[in-house]
């Protein structure tokens, strides 16, 4: 980062930013990319640039709905329409009913968003066939499909497909550099060149123009070199899940993880469990009501997994008292 070549990105003159945008776009199979500070801003700019109606159609427990709906409402002046679906996947009949809405007096669906992998459900991933089913409905009704791919590379590594295959029918995708990949900040929004041109203007409108930001972009380039390492995070999440099996009831433990997230369903005890684990030095979150999420990443080793298991055991001892 300290030795990165920099320039004024306002004029498109920062070579490291340009290299990052090009490298990310190539990985996801899109013509162009735009560097943004984080996923929330990437999602907001995406729906601003893509929507053809009034509603942002999302899964009811997507990150956009749970954590960003107020941003989209206040900044983009759009409302989210949450739909049901198992493990983060949109229920197709519900989506079809939504897309068929033709009453000119009612809100119109403007963009459909999928999240791959889906954080709140425990990192579940979409198959290519499932994505195609949503894409076909969107295409039939002239509504663009957007992928919140904050953890897209986790999904690709877990499923064995290329990231570009998963978003080939999406109008745009945003990927995060600062989650499992370990950069300090940054997301890259990718799509067609005319869309990215609009997104660049929107970034400026929101006051997000960068100047000599190549130092941060350099960390993003390093992050992209480490995509294969995500498999180690997946292995450690599975190790955590396996070690928790004797300690946690099956209805709390749920299914084995597909990626790097283990979600424990503690129900009404979730907030107390988060506090108990924090007292043991284990930082987790109640990602949706009743669900405590553990996320493995590149800074954790097997000793950290053992510490997390010991902390959960202590929490379970309290829960049984």
């Amino acid at each position: 980062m300290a030795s990165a070549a920099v320039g004024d990105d306002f004029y498109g003159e920062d070579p490291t930013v340009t290299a990052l945008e090009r490298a990310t776009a190539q990985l996801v199979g899109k013509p162009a990319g735009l560097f943004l500070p984080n996923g929330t801003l990437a999602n907001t700019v995406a729906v601003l640039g893509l929507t053809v109606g009034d509603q942002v159609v999302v899964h009811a427990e997507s990150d956009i709905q749970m954590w960003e709906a107020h941003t989209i409402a206040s900044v983009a002046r759009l409302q989210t329409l949450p739909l049901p679906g198992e493990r983060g996947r949109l229920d197709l009949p519900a989506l079809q009913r939504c897309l068929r809405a033709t009453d000119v007096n009612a809100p119109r669906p403007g963009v459909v968003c999928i999240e791959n992998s889906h954080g709140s459900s425990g990192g579940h991933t979409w198959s290519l066939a499932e994505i195609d089913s949503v894409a076909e409905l969107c295409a039939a009704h002239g509504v663009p499909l957007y992928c919140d791919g904050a953890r897209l590379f986790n999904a690709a590594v877990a499923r064995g497909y290329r990231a570009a295959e998963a978003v080939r029918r999406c109008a745009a995708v945003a990927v995060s550099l600062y989650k499992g990949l370990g950069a300090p900040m940054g997301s890259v929004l990718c799509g067609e060149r005319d869309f990215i041109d609009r997104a660049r203007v929107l970034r400026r409108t929101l006051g997000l123009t960068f100047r000599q930001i190549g130092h941060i972009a350099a960390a993003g380039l390093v992050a992209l070199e480490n995509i294969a390492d995500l498999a180690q995070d997946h292995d450690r999440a599975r190790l955590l899940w396996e070690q928790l099996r004797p300690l946690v009831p099956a209805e709390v433990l749920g299914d084995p993880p597909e990626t790097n997230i283990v979600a424990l369903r503690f129900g009404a005890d979730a907030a107390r469990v988060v506090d108990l684990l924090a007292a043991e030095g284990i930082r987790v979150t109640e990602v949706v009501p009743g669900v405590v999420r553990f996320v493995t990443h590149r800074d954790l080793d097997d000793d950290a997994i053992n510490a997390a298991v010991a902390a959960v055991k202590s929490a379970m001892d309290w829960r049984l008292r």
Side-chain angles (χ1 to χ4, degrees), residues 33-187:
L34 179 67
F35 187 41
L36 289 150
N38 55 55
T40 298
L41 268 299
N43 288 339
T44 302
V45 169
V47 299
L48 273 167
L50 288 174
T51 188
V52 294
D54 312 296
Q55 293 176 321
V56 180
V57 182
V58 296
H59 187 273
E61 292 187 344
S62 65
D63 276 7
I64 291 178
Q65 177 63 28
M66 299 296 296
W67 306 109
E68 301 170 10
H70 61 311
T71 303
I72 289 172
S74 59
V75 176
R77 302 293 183 183
L78 296 166
Q79 65 183 55
T80 55
L81 177 64
L83 297 185
E86 292 293 323
R87 299 179 179 178
R89 301 172 184 89
L90 297 174
D91 179 76
L92 291 181
L95 177 61
Q96 189 167 43
R97 287 193 297 273
C98 160
L99 292 174
R100 282 177 175 169
T102 57
D103 189 338
V104 296
N105 300 303
R108 298 165 301 146
V111 61
V112 174
C113 304
I114 61 174
E115 181 184 325
N116 192 20
S117 69
H118 182 257
S120 296
S121 67
H124 288 295
T125 62
W126 289 67
S127 72
L128 297 180
E130 288 166 339
I131 297 169
D132 281 345
S133 295
V134 172
E136 287 166 9
L137 285 176
C138 290
H141 294 87
V143 176
L145 176 61
Y146 169 67
C147 178
D148 176 359
R151 296 183 177 89
L152 177 63
F153 296 123
N154 286 95
V157 168
R159 282 279 185 174
Y161 50 54
R162 293 182 298 109
E165 292 179 287
V167 297
R168 66 185 179 87
R169 298 187 66 177
C170 296
V173 57
V175 296
S176 218
L177 304 169
Y178 57 89
K179 296 199 173 179
L181 294 179
M185 62 171 280
S187 291

